[in-house]
Amino acid sequence: METKLTEQESLAIINEMIIQARNNVQKGSANSLVYNGYAVAFTAILNFILLNVLPESELNWSFSVWWLMIPSFFVSRYIQSRIDRSAIVKTHIDSIVSTLWRGFSISIVLLLSILFSMALVHHTWYYFAVFTPIIMIIVALTEYGMAKVYRFKPFFWGAVGFWTGALLCCFFTYFVLKRGDVQFLILALCMILGFVVPGYQLNKLAKEENV
């Protein structure tokens, strides 16, 4: 025989799940956020530097630095696996957030596949000029979902930062500076503000709660 919950009881259970999920984030996932933020920011800045120091005939090699994201991905997964094992209670909300990031990963793989296909068919890499802004929009969407699920304002402002960064990429690339390398500096800044800063804030909250 099923027991029907009142509206207040249902809200209490949801709030408890949110609190537990947020505690799980505070106790570990901040390390993954900080790591990914620094890794992408470092790679983006390195790409910008290479674009401005390499001779014109070798500029395409500057984009090879993004292959660093492959070993970085495995390091990130290792960090996340340790976090998952240390979580006291795995909630339904944790599963939702994991699903959001899996959807993000699938979207990036599909986007890369489509852009590479278009580049090979039309013999131009011009389509990749929109790659960074599109990634930032997808990141913003994912982080906005996290902000709503965890009710953590820094994630919301991080999402706003990525949306703004995507607009700035297009604005500076096509209307002001008319050069694409500035997109990497904007991406680096957004990663610091959208991943690293919220990550440190979560670590600070965890430290205060464990005192």
Side-chain angles (χ1 to χ4, degrees):
M1 181 176 179
E2 295 184 359
T3 302
K4 292 185 178 180
L5 298 175
T6 65
E7 182 178 350
Q8 288 77 14
E9 290 173 332
S10 298
L11 289 174
I13 292 174
I14 293 172
N15 285 329
E16 184 178 346
M17 289 175 59
I18 292 172
I19 292 171
Q20 181 60 59
R22 193 159 51 194
N23 286 339
N24 287 344
V25 172
Q26 292 170 4
K27 291 171 182 174
S29 291
N31 296 330
S32 181
L33 283 173
V34 172
Y35 170 78
N36 285 310
Y38 277 133
V40 175
F42 170 79
T43 307
I45 292 173
L46 182 59
N47 197 167
F48 174 84
I49 293 173
L50 290 176
L51 280 171
N52 286 276
V53 299
L54 289 177
E56 188 172 352
S57 60
E58 299 180 9
L59 287 181
N60 286 336
W61 287 105
S62 67
F63 301 105
S64 299
V65 297
W66 290 102
W67 289 108
L68 293 172
M69 289 294 97
I70 295 178
S72 178
F73 169 79
F74 289 105
V75 173
S76 177
R77 289 304 307 160
Y78 173 73
I79 295 174
Q80 190 61 47
S81 65
R82 295 189 62 183
I83 293 167
D84 292 341
R85 287 196 298 268
S86 65
I88 298 174
V89 178
K90 189 74 172 179
T91 69
H92 182 60
I93 290 176
D94 290 316
S95 299
I96 292 174
V97 172
S98 297
T99 301
L100 280 174
W101 284 111
R102 279 196 296 271
F104 166 81
S105 300
I106 293 170
S107 299
I108 296 303
V109 171
L110 289 176
L111 176 61
L112 278 171
S113 301
I114 292 170
L115 289 178
F116 269 115
S117 299
M118 294 175 67
L120 291 174
V121 170
H122 297 286
H123 305 289
T124 177
W125 297 100
Y126 183 76
Y127 299 108
F128 278 86
V130 298
F131 181 64
T132 300
I134 292 175
I135 281 186
M136 294 172 72
I137 291 171
I138 300 174
V139 172
L141 178 61
T142 307
E143 197 163 8
Y144 182 76
M146 289 179 64
K148 290 299 182 181
V149 167
Y150 288 127
R151 298 180 184 176
F152 188 63
K153 275 292 182 67
F155 285 151
F156 169 77
W157 292 115
V160 171
F162 277 108
W163 278 320
T164 304
L167 291 174
L168 289 177
C169 282
C170 295
F171 182 69
F172 283 110
T173 299
Y174 297 107
F175 299 104
V176 180
L177 301 177
K178 296 185 177 180
R179 45 187 287 188
D181 59 346
V182 71
Q183 292 189 11
F184 296 116
L185 294 181
I186 296 173
L187 173 61
L189 178 62
C190 289
M191 290 303 298
I192 296 297
L193 296 179
F195 276 51
V196 176
V197 172
Y200 279 129
Q201 289 177 316
L202 284 172
N203 281 335
K204 182 179 178 181
L205 283 174
K207 184 177 181 180
E208 291 174 351
E209 290 183 357
N210 291 326
V211 171

